[in-house]
Tab-separated table of all heavy atoms in Angstrom:
chain	number	residue	atom	x	y	z
A	323	ALA	N	86.551	-105.284	-44.247
A	323	ALA	CA	87.407	-105.028	-43.102
A	323	ALA	C	86.816	-105.675	-41.788
A	323	ALA	O	85.660	-105.885	-41.730
A	323	ALA	CB	87.611	-103.530	-42.882
A	324	PHE	N	87.751	-105.946	-40.894
A	324	PHE	CA	87.361	-106.418	-39.541
A	324	PHE	C	87.624	-105.235	-38.543
A	324	PHE	O	88.746	-104.749	-38.530
A	324	PHE	CB	88.170	-107.643	-39.096
A	324	PHE	CG	87.915	-108.863	-39.990
A	324	PHE	CD1	88.961	-109.293	-40.853
A	324	PHE	CD2	86.757	-109.520	-40.014
A	324	PHE	CE1	88.766	-110.447	-41.631
A	324	PHE	CE2	86.531	-110.644	-40.749
A	324	PHE	CZ	87.530	-111.062	-41.583
A	325	GLU	N	86.607	-104.819	-37.891
A	325	GLU	CA	86.713	-103.663	-36.972
A	325	GLU	C	86.492	-104.108	-35.508
A	325	GLU	O	85.273	-104.206	-35.181
A	325	GLU	CB	85.823	-102.544	-37.335
A	325	GLU	CG	86.020	-102.064	-38.820
A	325	GLU	CD	85.540	-100.655	-39.111
A	325	GLU	OE1	85.424	-99.871	-38.173
A	325	GLU	OE2	85.261	-100.399	-40.308
A	326	PRO	N	87.493	-104.401	-34.725
A	326	PRO	CA	87.349	-105.004	-33.422
A	326	PRO	C	86.835	-104.000	-32.390
A	326	PRO	O	86.979	-102.783	-32.541
A	326	PRO	CB	88.787	-105.474	-33.080
A	326	PRO	CG	89.649	-104.552	-33.850
A	326	PRO	CD	88.948	-104.157	-35.103
A	327	ALA	N	86.137	-104.628	-31.388
A	327	ALA	CA	85.728	-103.853	-30.215
A	327	ALA	C	86.887	-103.525	-29.282
A	327	ALA	O	87.970	-104.223	-29.396
A	327	ALA	CB	84.627	-104.627	-29.402
A	328	PRO	N	86.764	-102.599	-28.391
A	328	PRO	CA	87.873	-102.266	-27.478
A	328	PRO	C	88.245	-103.527	-26.657
A	328	PRO	O	87.430	-104.288	-26.139
A	328	PRO	CB	87.280	-101.193	-26.586
A	328	PRO	CG	86.199	-100.546	-27.377
A	328	PRO	CD	85.639	-101.662	-28.271
A	329	GLY	N	89.579	-103.728	-26.563
A	329	GLY	CA	90.111	-104.876	-25.757
A	329	GLY	C	90.194	-106.111	-26.647
A	329	GLY	O	90.663	-107.220	-26.127
A	330	ILE	N	89.815	-106.085	-27.831
A	330	ILE	CA	89.847	-107.279	-28.751
A	330	ILE	C	90.756	-106.937	-29.963
A	330	ILE	O	90.712	-105.818	-30.560
A	330	ILE	CB	88.473	-107.629	-29.285
A	330	ILE	CG1	87.508	-107.939	-28.161
A	330	ILE	CG2	88.577	-108.822	-30.291
A	330	ILE	CD1	87.811	-109.146	-27.328
A	331	SER	N	91.636	-107.871	-30.265
A	331	SER	CA	92.583	-107.610	-31.428
A	331	SER	C	91.861	-107.931	-32.703
A	331	SER	O	90.894	-108.745	-32.768
A	331	SER	CB	93.867	-108.438	-31.234
A	331	SER	OG	93.497	-109.852	-31.465
A	332	ALA	N	92.386	-107.353	-33.804
A	332	ALA	CA	91.808	-107.646	-35.127
A	332	ALA	C	91.957	-109.156	-35.510
A	332	ALA	O	91.112	-109.754	-36.107
A	332	ALA	CB	92.551	-106.825	-36.172
A	333	ARG	N	93.010	-109.786	-34.965
A	333	ARG	CA	93.180	-111.216	-35.218
A	333	ARG	C	92.169	-112.063	-34.503
A	333	ARG	O	91.588	-113.053	-35.089
A	333	ARG	CB	94.540	-111.649	-34.783
A	333	ARG	CG	94.870	-113.126	-35.138
A	333	ARG	CD	96.264	-113.549	-34.750
A	333	ARG	NE	96.573	-114.933	-35.110
A	333	ARG	CZ	97.058	-115.303	-36.352
A	333	ARG	NH1	97.193	-114.339	-37.231
A	333	ARG	NH2	97.194	-116.486	-36.586
A	334	GLN	N	91.839	-111.682	-33.248
A	334	GLN	CA	90.772	-112.419	-32.488
A	334	GLN	C	89.416	-112.284	-33.195
A	334	GLN	O	88.664	-113.250	-33.377
A	334	GLN	CB	90.745	-111.843	-31.079
A	334	GLN	CG	91.878	-112.226	-30.198
A	334	GLN	CD	91.762	-111.592	-28.854
A	334	GLN	OE1	91.679	-110.363	-28.723
A	334	GLN	NE2	91.838	-112.415	-27.816
A	335	LEU	N	89.120	-111.096	-33.677
A	335	LEU	CA	87.821	-110.811	-34.341
A	335	LEU	C	87.808	-111.678	-35.664
A	335	LEU	O	86.854	-112.399	-36.001
A	335	LEU	CB	87.618	-109.389	-34.641
A	335	LEU	CG	86.416	-109.045	-35.570
A	335	LEU	CD1	85.125	-109.511	-34.973
A	335	LEU	CD2	86.389	-107.568	-35.836
A	336	ALA	N	88.940	-111.607	-36.444
A	336	ALA	CA	88.969	-112.283	-37.727
A	336	ALA	C	88.824	-113.781	-37.524
A	336	ALA	O	88.172	-114.475	-38.368
A	336	ALA	CB	90.268	-111.949	-38.440
A	337	GLU	N	89.463	-114.340	-36.481
A	337	GLU	CA	89.404	-115.786	-36.250
A	337	GLU	C	88.010	-116.210	-35.900
A	337	GLU	O	87.454	-117.216	-36.446
A	337	GLU	CB	90.307	-116.154	-35.087
A	337	GLU	CG	90.340	-117.648	-34.843
A	337	GLU	CD	91.248	-118.062	-33.725
A	337	GLU	OE1	91.559	-117.183	-32.856
A	337	GLU	OE2	91.733	-119.222	-33.668
A	338	ALA	N	87.278	-115.395	-35.042
A	338	ALA	CA	85.894	-115.773	-34.742
A	338	ALA	C	84.992	-115.692	-35.961
A	338	ALA	O	84.144	-116.523	-36.228
A	338	ALA	CB	85.407	-114.815	-33.685
A	339	ALA	N	85.172	-114.618	-36.805
A	339	ALA	CA	84.426	-114.473	-38.048
A	339	ALA	C	84.653	-115.585	-38.975
A	339	ALA	O	83.789	-116.118	-39.665
A	339	ALA	CB	84.716	-113.098	-38.669
A	340	PHE	N	86.003	-116.008	-39.036
A	340	PHE	CA	86.422	-117.112	-39.987
A	340	PHE	C	85.770	-118.386	-39.608
A	340	PHE	O	85.146	-119.062	-40.443
A	340	PHE	CB	87.914	-117.220	-39.906
A	340	PHE	CG	88.482	-118.340	-40.640
A	340	PHE	CD1	88.722	-118.300	-42.029
A	340	PHE	CD2	88.800	-119.576	-40.028
A	340	PHE	CE1	89.206	-119.379	-42.761
A	340	PHE	CE2	89.347	-120.647	-40.716
A	340	PHE	CZ	89.517	-120.577	-42.087
A	341	LEU	N	85.715	-118.745	-38.319
A	341	LEU	CA	85.214	-120.015	-37.885
A	341	LEU	C	83.640	-120.012	-38.055
A	341	LEU	O	83.048	-120.973	-38.431
A	341	LEU	CB	85.516	-120.250	-36.401
A	341	LEU	CG	87.006	-120.528	-36.101
A	341	LEU	CD1	87.242	-120.530	-34.613
A	341	LEU	CD2	87.409	-121.846	-36.736
A	342	ALA	N	83.005	-118.878	-37.810
A	342	ALA	CA	81.561	-118.799	-37.933
A	342	ALA	C	81.112	-118.800	-39.394
A	342	ALA	O	79.814	-119.001	-39.634
A	342	ALA	CB	81.093	-117.505	-37.257
A	343	SER	N	82.022	-118.609	-40.359
A	343	SER	CA	81.622	-118.473	-41.755
A	343	SER	C	82.060	-119.656	-42.614
A	343	SER	O	81.772	-119.714	-43.782
A	343	SER	CB	82.220	-117.202	-42.398
A	343	SER	OG	81.731	-116.101	-41.617
A	344	LEU	N	82.731	-120.615	-41.997
A	344	LEU	CA	83.301	-121.775	-42.806
A	344	LEU	C	82.174	-122.521	-43.512
A	344	LEU	O	82.328	-122.989	-44.615
A	344	LEU	CB	84.064	-122.721	-41.879
A	344	LEU	CG	85.424	-122.303	-41.524
A	344	LEU	CD1	86.092	-123.235	-40.560
A	344	LEU	CD2	86.331	-122.193	-42.784
A	345	ALA	N	81.024	-122.660	-42.859
A	345	ALA	CA	79.900	-123.393	-43.506
A	345	ALA	C	78.928	-122.506	-44.198
A	345	ALA	O	77.902	-122.916	-44.718
A	345	ALA	CB	79.206	-124.232	-42.492
A	346	ASP	N	79.262	-121.261	-44.332
A	346	ASP	CA	78.370	-120.275	-44.948
A	346	ASP	C	78.686	-120.212	-46.437
A	346	ASP	O	79.754	-119.614	-46.858
A	346	ASP	CB	78.564	-118.911	-44.310
A	346	ASP	CG	77.484	-117.870	-44.703
A	346	ASP	OD1	76.793	-118.182	-45.770
A	346	ASP	OD2	77.365	-116.822	-44.149
A	347	ASP	N	77.813	-120.753	-47.287
A	347	ASP	CA	78.070	-120.796	-48.735
A	347	ASP	C	77.584	-119.591	-49.486
A	347	ASP	O	77.692	-119.533	-50.745
A	347	ASP	CB	77.424	-122.095	-49.354
A	347	ASP	CG	78.173	-123.368	-48.978
A	347	ASP	OD1	79.365	-123.247	-48.735
A	347	ASP	OD2	77.516	-124.400	-48.872
Side-chain angles (χ1 to χ4, degrees):
F324 298 110
E325 304 201 22
I330 302 296
S331 69
R333 184 179 184 84
Q334 289 175 304
L335 170 60
E337 183 179 22
F340 174 82
L341 293 171
S343 303
L344 280 174
D346 188 349
D347 286 332

